[in-house]
Amino acid sequence: MMTVITSSGNNKNSLFDKRFGRTAWFCLYDEETKKTTFIENTDNETSNGAGTKAAEKMVELKVEKVISGDFGPKAKDLLDKFNIQMVIIQDDGIKVKDILEKLKQ
Amino acid sequence: MPRRRRLRKVVAPPIFSGYKPYGTNCESDETIELLYEEYEALKLADYDHMNHQDASELMGVSRPTFARIYKSARIKIARALVEAKVIRMVYGNAWMDKKWFICNDCHSRFTIPKSVSKKSCPICGSENKETLKNQNN
């Protein structure tokens, strides 16, 4: 199962990004192989529709779970439609590796 | 850039998609868009007779914000009545609380789509979760 965590940088030590559509990087985590890959979000500078584009990307990547700080209404609708699980974490200052560790447990 | 709008919790979405006046001779294409959260605010305050403080806590917004949503709902409905306009329900900035759960151990919020068979918390695996409906603060 593929999980995406929104991240502000391209390694596990970077801070967890609380935005979904405008996050800098997506951390892709494969639960079977325990491997992580980082994908740059190319649409985080667009003036509108960033959430929609990010949600479309999630569908393309066949992600089943997205962990972020908040989801916009459009992204929420789309992710809902494609049965992608949304998880909201609102703790401040946590790192991507903290979340990965929790997931591995 | 203005501060983003927090989502307002809607417990019971409206069971209709709009209202239409009849017997009017001035047909107008203009519709008034009533947002889900405005409907919810009006319902909580005027139908369920809750005070603004309790209602705002239920919707997950501050009391002044609740008052603004409520005021906007009243203005829109009054305008629709007076000008004989069609009211159309629009999703707005709402989220339905039945789909969302909160984990009591790690405080993360999550949805459980149909395709997911595991009903435990996706972060810590705890079974100690509840729907946000029961959590009024």
Side-chain angles (χ1 to χ4, degrees):
Chain A
M1 194 172 101
M2 296 293 250
T3 303
V4 155
I5 302 164
T6 51
S7 160
S8 55
N10 62 353
N11 58 66
K12 287 182 196 173
N13 285 321
S14 23
L15 282 172
F16 167 63
D17 201 323
K18 288 211 251 175
R19 301 162 306 169
F20 171 62
R22 294 188 192 279
T23 180
W25 293 79
F26 294 112
C27 170
L28 210 65
Y29 170 63
D30 192 330
E31 269 181 31
E32 272 104 57
T33 60
K34 310 269 183 223
K35 270 188 188 154
T36 54
T37 30
F38 284 83
I39 300 169
E40 194 171 5
N41 183 12
T42 46
D43 299 311
N44 62 344
E45 301 281 335
T46 49
S47 58
N48 55 47
T52 316
K53 277 178 189 145
E56 280 164 2
K57 201 178 260 171
M58 298 299 109
V59 177
E60 272 170 37
L61 292 166
K62 297 198 168 51
V63 172
E64 286 175 49
K65 195 198 286 179
V66 182
I67 304 172
S68 188
D70 210 347
F71 298 93
K74 285 181 199 160
K76 221 172 234 182
D77 281 354
L78 255 174
L79 294 172
D80 230 16
K81 209 186 265 172
F82 287 97
N83 289 324
I84 296 171
Q85 184 169 36
M86 287 172 270
V87 184
I88 295 177
I89 302 180
Q90 288 194 313
D91 302 337
D92 279 311
I94 52 168
K95 287 177 180 169
V96 173
K97 63 173 182 188
D98 301 333
I99 300 171
L100 285 170
E101 263 163 37
K102 273 188 194 165
L103 283 175
K104 280 173 190 164
Q105 274 168 17
Chain B
M1 197 176 159
R3 201 183 181 293
R4 65 170 305 169
R5 286 199 172 177
R6 308 312 309 180
L7 292 180
R8 294 90 161 88
K9 186 157 75 192
V10 171
V11 176
I15 50 170
F16 55 90
S17 52
Y19 270 102
K20 223 173 183 174
Y22 74 98
T24 168
N25 50 10
C26 45
E27 284 288 317
S28 147
D29 290 335
E30 201 195 328
T31 57
I32 287 173
E33 296 186 339
L34 191 69
L35 307 180
Y36 270 28
E37 67 259 31
E38 290 167 343
Y39 164 84
E40 176 80 353
L42 198 80
K43 175 183 160 284
L44 291 177
D46 292 341
Y47 183 80
D48 297 332
H49 302 293
M50 286 173 87
N51 65 42
H52 284 196
Q53 186 65 51
D54 294 347
S56 67
E57 280 169 14
L58 198 78
M59 284 180 75
V61 293
S62 70
R63 194 200 49 75
T65 305
F66 176 84
R68 269 198 303 279
I69 299 169
Y70 175 65
K71 191 182 169 199
S72 150
R74 277 185 17 216
I75 289 172
K76 280 187 184 173
I77 289 171
R79 206 177 134 224
L81 277 178
V82 172
E83 297 178 11
K85 291 257 166 34
V86 173
I87 300 175
R88 199 163 63 87
M89 295 307 306
V90 179
Y91 195 79
N93 302 297
W95 56 279
M96 304 305 156
D97 74 341
K98 280 201 189 102
K99 288 188 207 153
W100 286 86
F101 298 89
I102 186 160
C103 172
N104 284 332
D105 290 334
C106 65
H107 304 292
S108 61
R109 291 184 275 158
F110 54 95
T111 58
I112 299 180
K114 281 176 249 125
S115 56
V116 175
S117 50
K118 235 178 15 182
K119 299 280 183 254
S120 57
C121 169
I123 297 295
C124 62
S126 159
E127 295 284 344
N128 188 7
K129 66 170 189 335
E130 58 180 312
T131 56
L132 276 164
K133 193 180 181 179
N134 305 325
Q135 208 216 358
N136 288 342
N137 331 311

